[in-house]
């Protein structure tokens, strides 16, 4: 695989001040690593919680970049998320029991280096949502798109429809964390927009489109939901995947990962619950530990760290307190 080391280095320098939570930060095209060349990297990896804000399109504080990644129609792009800019597989891609669906959208634009993204005509080409785990007592135990991200070192493979028209697009990758979604504005959206140029498509696609903002409602049952209770079902918010897109079954193996990736139970490619990472540090003589900002620090049944490093453990609901 070809690596663009310079682009990776520049991206790391530009974001040395960013806090370590999770962002989509790199793009692969048919196995070629374009790193952060064409991503509108947000200046903070904090979530967006206001679905009516323009920030829901390409994240807060983002702006166009000069590069566009070439993408052949019908190819496989891989969006990559990590908690830190190092792209390390040593930690979960998105930690703190941030369970929820993953979606990828496209918006056709006249110029990817100038289009704002907000209110653009978006359509969903990929989704990795939810599947029940019969042995689980709550939605936390079920299979989720973000658990698949964690099992696959932050990478999610997405087929770009071969039916697209040639031209510039914004590709939007989104992970929705539902750990605090039982209360209004508790759902946390993490997204990045990539600037791409598609070529070689048949041009026959005519997908229905939605606006962002506009596609999500704060009271949508896929956004305002208590995943700490048993779930009879779950539908991710936003439009359905359009007919030429793809849907991944939550918990199914990621490409190239069947022999090496697992959900913590030792069985590669299957989707039992991931082992939550405390990402804490030794708390000192009392034998305790401290959790990092945005990690879980309390709630019914919680046995991990209850103190926070550099932040305060904040009650969000009976099942979830978070370092903020």
């Amino acid at each position: 695989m070809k690596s663009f080391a310079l682009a990776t280095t520049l991206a790391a320098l530009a974001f040395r001040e960013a806090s370590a939570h999770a962002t989509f930060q790199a793009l692969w095209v048919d196995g070629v690593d374009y790193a952060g060349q064409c991503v509108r990297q947000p200046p903070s990896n904090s979530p967006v919680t206001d679905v009516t804000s323009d920030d829901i399109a390409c994240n807060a504080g983002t702006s166009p970049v000069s590069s566009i990644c070439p993408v052949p129609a019908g190819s496989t792009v891989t969006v990559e998320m990590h908690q830190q800019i190092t792209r390390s597989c040593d930690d979960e891609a998105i930690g703190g029991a941030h369970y929820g669906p993953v979606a990828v959208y496209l918006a056709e634009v006249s110029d990817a280096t100038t289009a704002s993204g907000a209110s653009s005509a978006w359509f969903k080409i990929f989704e990795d949502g939810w599947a029940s785990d019969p042995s689980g007592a709550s939605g936390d135990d079920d299979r989720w798109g973000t658990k698949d991200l964690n099992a696959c070192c932050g990478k999610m493979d997405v087929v770009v429809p071969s039916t697209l028209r040639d031209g510039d697009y914004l590709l939007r990758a989104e992970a929705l964390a539902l750990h605090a979604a039982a209360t209004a504005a508790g759902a946390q959206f993490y997204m990045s927009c990539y600037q791409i140029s598609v070529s070689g498509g048949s041009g026959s696609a005519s997908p229905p489109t939605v606006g962002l903002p506009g596609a999500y409602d704060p009271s949508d049952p896929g956004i305002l939901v208590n995943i700490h209770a048993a779930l009879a079902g779950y539908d991710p918010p936003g439009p359905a995947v359009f007919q030429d897109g793809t849907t991944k079954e939550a918990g199914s193996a990621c490409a190239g990962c069947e022999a090496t990736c697992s959900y913590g139970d030792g069985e590669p490619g299957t989707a039992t619950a991931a082992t939550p990472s405390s990402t804490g540090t030794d708390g000192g003589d009392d034998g305790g530990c401290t959790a990092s900002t945005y990690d879980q620090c309390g709630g019914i049944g919680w046995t991990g760290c209850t103190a926070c490093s550099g932040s305060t453990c904040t009650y969000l609901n009976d099942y979830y307190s978070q370092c903020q």
Side-chain angles (χ1 to χ4, degrees), residues 187-206:
Q188 297 181 1
F189 291 81
Y190 300 88
M191 78 293 292
S192 291
C193 287
Y194 301 85
Q195 300 173 178
I196 67 171
S197 179
V198 173
S199 61
S202 70
S204 62
S206 183

Side-chain angles (χ1 to χ4, degrees), residues 158-290:
V158 179
V159 176
V160 176
S162 61
T163 55
L164 295 179
R165 287 187 291 269
D166 291 357
D168 284 7
Y169 290 80
L170 295 180
L171 185 149
R172 175 183 179 274
E174 171 194 284
L176 171 55
L178 298 170
H179 55 289
T183 56
Q188 297 181 1
F189 291 81
Y190 300 88
M191 78 293 292
S192 291
C193 287
Y194 301 85
Q195 300 173 178
I196 67 171
S197 179
V198 173
S199 61
S202 70
S204 62
S206 183
T209 61
V210 297
L212 288 169
Y216 296 154
D217 186 282
S219 60
D220 187 299
I223 294 175
L224 186 62
V225 58
N226 178 15
I227 68 167
H228 307 297
L231 298 179
Y234 176 82
D235 291 322
V241 175
F242 104 101
Q243 63 179 8
D244 296 334
T246 56
T247 301
K248 181 180 184 295
E249 181 183 356
S252 59
C254 43
C257 198
E258 290 82 355
T260 58
C261 298
S262 70
Y263 279 72
D265 65 346
E267 185 178 353
T270 60
T272 55
T275 303
S277 171
S278 68
T279 61
T281 57
D282 186 1
D285 294 339
D286 62 0
C289 65
T290 56

Side-chain angles (χ1 to χ4, degrees), residues 143-167:
R143 307 172 184 187
W144 293 99
T146 57
K147 290 186 179 182
D148 289 346
L149 275 175
N150 286 337
C152 302
C153 191
K155 298 181 179 69
M156 189 71 74
D157 288 343
V158 179
V159 176
V160 176
S162 61
T163 55
L164 295 179
R165 287 187 291 269
D166 291 357

Side-chain angles (χ1 to χ4, degrees), residues 64-156:
V65 294
S66 59
S67 297
I68 296 177
C69 290
V71 175
S75 64
T76 296
V77 298
T78 304
V79 293
E80 185 177 345
M81 168 178 269
H82 293 287
Q83 295 186 48
Q84 301 191 42
I85 204 68
T86 59
R87 302 171 72 181
S88 172
C89 297
D90 293 337
D91 301 312
E92 290 179 317
I94 178 167
H98 283 27
Y99 302 145
V102 174
V104 175
Y105 290 74
L106 284 176
E108 187 176 9
V109 296
S110 59
D111 185 347
T113 64
T114 60
S116 72
S119 299
S120 293
W122 295 94
F123 55 99
K124 190 183 290 184
I125 65 167
F126 174 86
E127 189 169 79
D128 182 350
W130 169 89
S132 175
D133 187 331
S135 64
S138 75
D140 295 275
D141 303 317
D142 290 338
R143 307 172 184 187
W144 293 99
T146 57
K147 290 186 179 182
D148 289 346
L149 275 175
N150 286 337
C152 302
C153 191
K155 298 181 179 69
M156 189 71 74

